[in-house]
Amino acid sequence: MEPAEAVQSDADDDAATQSGDASSQLPPRAGWFGWRARFPLTARVVRVGTSVLAGALLLVALVVPDRLDRMSFQSFLRLPVELIVLAVVLLVLPARARRIAAVVTGAIVGLSTVLKCLDMGFYETLARPFDLVFDWVLLSDAADWMKDSFGHSGEVLAIIGVIVLLIAVLAGSALAMVRLADVLARHRPMAVRTTLVLGVVWIMCFTLSVQVGGVTLATKGYSQFLSNRVKYVREGLGDADVFKKQLTVDAFAKTPPNQLLTGLRGKDVLFTFIESYGRVALDDPTMAPEMDKTLTAGDARLKAAGFSSRSAWLRSPVTGAGSWLAHSTFLSGLWIKNQQRYRTVTTSTRATLTSYFQKTGAWRTVGIVPGVRKSWPEGKYFGLDNIYDSTHLGYQGPYFSWTPVPDQFSLESFEKLEYGKKNRDPIMAEIILASSHNPWSPIAHTIPWNQLGDGTIFNQIKKEGTNPTEVWKSAKRVRTEYRKAIQYSVDSLTQWVQRYGNKNTVLVFLGDHQPVPTVTGGTADRDVPITIVAHDPKVLDKISSWGWTDGLKPADSAPVLGMDKFRDRFMTAYAK
């Protein structure tokens, strides 16, 4: 060693010694990181616990079902192949790439977990998964439902809770994946052996179809879930082209107006939708007896007033919610199964059942739509000369949860504003009865028609009603209130016909969709009742070949027709 280098080396050693002495005299490190040195055992427990929690979080995210009815303890005892594949990928990547991959895959797992949560909610309300292409607009409707059901404070708290939960899930899954990657890197030999063993176990269990409590142990469900979502998105994006072709096919497009609906000339034709009036209301043994009484009483009222009726079933494109999709399906003669189709058809020149009435020039066409509280530009598409929304019916009473105007008042307003006028033209009306809209609490009840006034009488009726917060704690109570709401709507309608109907009245009333799975029990059945009521026997004679059941209750064996098929069948029957 050269003398100069020796001097420099000694100086470096002295500096290092002095630095070590100085640092040994400093107080122990404080703050978040300092406690690890002071409490090494606790630090080790926390480190191991955090790693275990991270692994458990990722495992749950990968195996959790996207439907509440499939949730069980056994569903979390599965071994997902995706977790093994992730471990292999993280083990083979270099440090920098490993961390980037961990953050990205963690975020993907977090997003898919959020999507599963959305699926849970949609399966509970619409009996289908969330549509990544078309369903974003429905989130605002969900917020409106929260506001109507639980007030503005409940809506705000729900939105805040969702945002916080979203951030927590995304951040938590990304951090968990990074943590898992670090653990694999620090304990690489053991991690490689463990991953290899788990891979062999998965292959054996998958090959032998090993099950635990009826649930397959080796699963690739997460990959299938992602694959299905990609498939749904691809189909959704391609659906627009398919629907545009269907849009141009209309058997009556070139029919002269004077040849349309000639079998109904001079009649008042009322198309009335009863919200959520589904087959379950008539088939379910806990609801059927009371509904039978209501329909029997309605039959008696109608017969006393000289009316007859026939009923059958329609198959709705939706269940649980999405009334506007069902209404547009029924009226347009097209299967409107998503929001994109709805927007396309309502901005097209496709004629509807109601617009064909308008096209003849033989009817004044009106809409009674109490559920509409905002601008409704689509109303023009349906061919309605005049539209009465919730602000134009003269109602001064309270809301009943989501429902702005009770059905009985809506029907009475229709009588005063349009139907009861003297020397008027025949009327074709689209009437929406919204009192049976979810959440069915509180609900109104029928009162003497001459006491309706401006609707303020319903303030006391609402006070006597049930609290939705309490009702929705019990599925049994929800079903009871649902049944009562349907009874109220049917009673209001049949009483109105008995009171105001005449020899020219023709009423077509139907449900728009089945209620939510809480009521239906998760059935995939989408059937709804439909009934045609008329005073003139010639009206029902024209559908005698349809095989419908006499009365307001369709038989179990009554025909089931796709809701999109009704328009053309109805127009064909009454074209002569």
Side-chain angles (χ1 to χ4, degrees):
M1 180 181 295
E2 295 292 332
E5 294 176 355
V7 171
Q8 182 62 45
S9 178
D10 292 340
D12 291 342
D13 290 341
D14 291 340
T17 302
Q18 292 174 4
S19 175
D21 292 342
S23 64
S24 65
Q25 296 174 7
L26 290 175
R29 295 175 64 189
W32 177 251
F33 297 101
W35 69 273
R36 296 180 180 179
R38 297 197 302 273
F39 308 103
L41 181 60
T42 302
R44 179 177 176 79
V45 172
V46 170
R47 185 169 63 251
V48 173
T50 303
S51 301
V52 172
L53 184 61
L57 176 63
L58 294 173
L59 176 63
V60 168
L62 293 174
V63 301
V64 64
D66 62 345
R67 297 177 56 165
L68 291 176
D69 59 344
R70 294 179 179 174
M71 196 83 69
S72 66
F73 177 74
Q74 290 85 350
S75 63
F76 294 96
L77 298 180
R78 295 178 295 166
L79 177 61
V81 68
E82 297 82 9
L83 192 62
I84 299 172
V85 173
L86 279 174
V88 172
V89 171
L90 294 176
L91 283 168
V92 300
L93 289 175
R96 182 177 179 81
R98 180 174 62 246
R99 181 155 293 237
I100 294 174
V103 173
V104 172
T105 54
I108 292 174
V109 171
L111 286 172
S112 62
T113 302
V114 172
L115 181 56
K116 285 184 178 182
C117 291
L118 287 171
D119 281 356
M120 291 177 193
F122 270 67
Y123 273 115
E124 286 298 295
T125 55
L126 302 177
R128 64 169 177 82
F130 179 78
D131 192 318
L132 283 165
V133 179
F134 304 119
D135 282 343
W136 296 105
V137 66
L138 299 183
L139 298 182
S140 63
D141 294 330
D144 290 341
W145 182 85
M146 289 295 300
K147 180 179 179 180
D148 294 332
S149 302
F150 305 106
H152 181 66
S153 298
E155 177 194 19
V156 172
L157 289 175
I159 292 174
I160 293 174
V162 168
I163 293 174
V164 171
L165 182 61
L166 175 62
I167 295 173
V169 170
L170 293 178
S173 58
L175 291 173
M177 190 66 75
V178 170
R179 182 71 177 180
L180 181 61
D182 290 342
V183 171
L184 292 174
R186 287 199 308 268
H187 306 283
R188 185 180 180 82
M190 182 180 293
V192 170
R193 290 193 297 270
T194 302
T195 302
L196 180 61
V197 170
L198 290 177
V200 173
V201 169
W202 188 92
I203 292 173
M204 293 178 61
C205 291
F206 183 80
T207 303
L208 299 175
S209 299
V210 177
Q211 294 187 343
V212 177
V215 177
T216 302
L217 179 61
T219 177
K220 53 179 180 178
Y222 183 75
S223 298
Q224 292 174 337
F225 169 77
L226 294 181
S227 175
N228 288 338
R229 305 315 294 189
V230 172
K231 177 183 176 182
Y232 294 154
V233 169
R234 187 185 301 115
E235 290 177 350
L237 294 175
D239 182 66
D241 293 332
V242 174
F243 185 64
K244 286 179 181 178
K245 294 179 181 178
Q246 298 172 353
L247 198 63
T248 60
V249 180
D250 188 345
F252 298 93
K254 297 181 180 180
T255 304
N258 62 354
Q259 297 179 24
L260 291 168
L261 300 161
T262 54
L264 291 171
R265 297 298 172 101
K267 304 297 183 184
D268 296 313
V269 185
L270 317 178
F271 295 102
T272 304
F273 295 91
I274 297 180
E275 175 69 38
S276 301
Y277 181 28
R279 186 165 189 156
V280 67
L282 307 184
D283 285 357
D284 188 276
T286 64
M287 292 184 273
E290 294 298 325
M291 281 302 305
D292 284 347
K293 293 178 182 178
T294 296
L295 296 177
T296 299
D299 270 325
R301 291 190 196 103
L302 296 176
K303 288 178 180 178
F307 287 87
S308 299
S309 59
R310 289 184 183 171
S311 303
W313 306 102
L314 294 181
R315 183 149 297 151
S316 176
V318 293
T319 184
S323 302
W324 62 96
L325 302 181
H327 299 176
S328 55
T329 294
F330 180 81
L331 297 174
S332 72
L334 295 170
W335 195 251
I336 313 299
K337 62 181 181 179
N338 56 50
Q339 192 66 17
Q340 181 62 42
R341 287 192 170 203
Y342 178 77
R343 289 174 178 171
T344 301
V345 74
T346 54
T347 55
S348 73
T349 57
R350 168 81 178 193
T352 64
L353 182 54
T354 45
S355 66
Y356 271 127
F357 274 89
Q358 184 187 52
K359 184 178 179 180
T360 66
W363 282 273
R364 171 173 167 77
T365 60
V366 301
I368 306 296
V369 288
V372 174
R373 290 168 283 179
K374 303 175 183 178
S375 61
W376 189 44
E378 300 95 326
K380 294 181 179 179
Y381 164 74
F382 291 106
L384 302 175
D385 295 326
N386 201 0
I387 297 174
Y388 298 92
D389 60 21
S390 61
T391 63
H392 293 89
L393 294 174
Y395 183 66
Q396 301 299 316
Y399 276 32
F400 281 78
S401 187
W402 183 89
T403 308
V405 185
D407 290 347
Q408 188 182 9
F409 193 95
S410 294
L411 291 166
E412 178 71 8
S413 296
F414 172 57
E415 165 66 21
K416 292 178 179 179
L417 294 168
E418 291 286 349
Y419 203 76
K421 290 181 178 179
K422 296 181 179 180
N423 302 318
R424 59 170 175 77
D425 292 332
I427 287 177
M428 190 291 310
E430 178 187 355
I431 302 172
I432 312 298
L433 299 184
S435 288
S436 50
H437 191 287
N438 183 341
W440 310 302
S441 176
I443 54 175
H445 58 76
T446 54
I447 60 176
W449 291 79
N450 57 9
Q451 295 182 17
L452 287 171
D454 64 357
T456 53
I457 190 173
F458 285 101
N459 284 303
Q460 183 59 37
I461 294 175
K462 181 177 181 179
K463 290 180 182 178
E464 297 169 355
T466 53
N467 185 325
T469 304
E470 294 300 319
V471 167
W472 280 83
K473 292 179 179 179
S474 165
K476 182 179 180 180
R477 290 195 64 186
V478 171
R479 292 159 66 84
T480 298
E481 295 304 303
Y482 163 76
R483 185 256 301 164
K484 290 180 179 179
I486 298 296
Q487 288 180 281
Y488 169 70
S489 296
V490 172
D491 279 338
S492 297
L493 187 57
T494 55
Q495 287 183 23
W496 183 90
V497 174
Q498 181 188 36
R499 183 177 177 86
Y500 297 116
N502 56 55
K503 64 180 182 179
N504 291 321
T505 302
V506 177
L507 169 67
V508 181
F509 76 93
L510 64 149
D512 49 13
H513 55 72
Q514 287 263 56
V516 296
T518 303
V519 178
T520 64
T523 179
D525 191 306
R526 296 190 175 192
D527 295 351
V528 297
I530 181 170
T531 300
I532 299 180
V533 180
H535 195 284
D536 185 349
K538 294 179 181 179
V539 173
L540 294 183
D541 287 345
K542 291 183 181 295
I543 64 166
S544 58
S545 63
W546 289 8
W548 287 23
T549 307
D550 288 336
L552 299 182
K553 181 181 179 180
D556 290 343
S557 58
V560 180
L561 185 69
M563 194 174 278
D564 59 324
K565 306 299 182 184
F566 181 82
R567 187 202 75 158
D568 287 6
R569 193 171 191 186
F570 183 85
M571 292 185 67
T572 300
Y574 293 103
K576 55 186 183 298

